[in-house]
Amino acid sequence: MDGRRTDSEGFRSVVARPPVEWNVGAMPKVMVVDDEESLLEAIRYALSREGFQVVTASDGGEAMRDFEAERPDLVVLDLMLPTLNGWDVCRRIRATSQVPILMLTARDAEVDRVVGLEMGADDYVTKPFSLRELVARVRALLRRAGTATDGHRPETAVLEAGGVRLDTERHEVSVRGSEVSLPLKEFELLEILMENRNRVLTRQTLIDRVWGYDYVGDTKTLDVHVKRLRARVEEDRREPKLIVTVRGVGYRFDG
């Protein structure tokens, strides 16, 4: 049993297992506003697993009070809220702040998205959505806003460490000056490890990030991909110096 349940709309929420955070340093703070408890908890769990600080609110009035008190780096905002609707919350936030806003809406009507964007929202996701997509959009908005997602520096299109250079936009990797070709999953795995350089990432975090939160396949898949990746980036794959195994926990990129 994996400690999760699926509600009537298909969202998976946690009922037992708390998030495990191995990263250190101040991560960006995300405020999530939604009146659907199961979805709110699912989003909180997904973002927490990625190391984000998360605060939640279940209605528009609470959201405005929390926004002033917490000063988040990004707001995930449902449009259909009690007390104060999402459009009004968005407009009030924009009156004093340029913090990125990601809208959530159950409606498919183009007019709702257009109105939200015109009021100052930066992006939108239409329900139902995958949690992996939501996390990716949060990261993209923070990257465009220049907000650090590792506690120290803004994300950039090029990551360099330990003789490895990874260009996220061009999907290119070079190792000690020589270009190497990586399949998509190996590229994504290397990108995540390099983004969190010198930090331990749990096996479950890596599986969730690369294969998705709903992945139910063999966890040995991760080990196989790490082995292949080491063969491409390590000087001696039998004695890895870059992709290090932390026994009982996961992996760390040293560089």
Side-chain angles (χ1 to χ4, degrees), residues 123-136:
D123 199 359
Y124 66 88
V125 177
T126 301
K127 299 177 183 178
F129 52 83
S130 74
L131 292 174
R132 188 180 185 192
E133 177 190 5
L134 180 72
V135 171

Side-chain angles (χ1 to χ4, degrees), residues 167-214:
D167 189 320
T168 60
E169 293 184 353
R170 295 177 179 272
H171 202 277
E172 295 175 348
V173 176
S174 62
V175 179
R176 293 176 287 279
S178 299
E179 186 172 341
V180 298
S181 178
L182 295 182
L184 178 60
K185 293 303 183 185
E186 289 179 33
F187 184 93
E188 291 178 346
L189 180 59
L190 180 60
E191 179 182 1
I192 293 164
L193 288 167
M194 291 184 69
E195 283 178 345
N196 294 275
R197 181 163 56 100
N198 299 324
R199 291 178 170 81
V200 180
L201 295 179
T202 66
R203 293 172 57 83
Q204 189 60 51
T205 293
L206 290 169
I207 290 171
D208 287 347
R209 289 279 299 276
V210 178
W211 284 273
Y213 293 93
D214 295 327

Side-chain angles (χ1 to χ4, degrees), residues 5 12-19 32 34 36-48 54 56 131:
R5 69 180 176 210
R12 305 191 81 185
S13 59
V14 178
V15 296
R17 188 175 59 189
V32 183
D34 198 293
E36 184 182 339
E37 184 178 353
S38 62
L39 178 57
L40 191 66
E41 173 60 13
I43 296 173
R44 185 206 63 75
Y45 177 81
L47 292 172
S48 296
V54 183
T56 62
L131 292 174

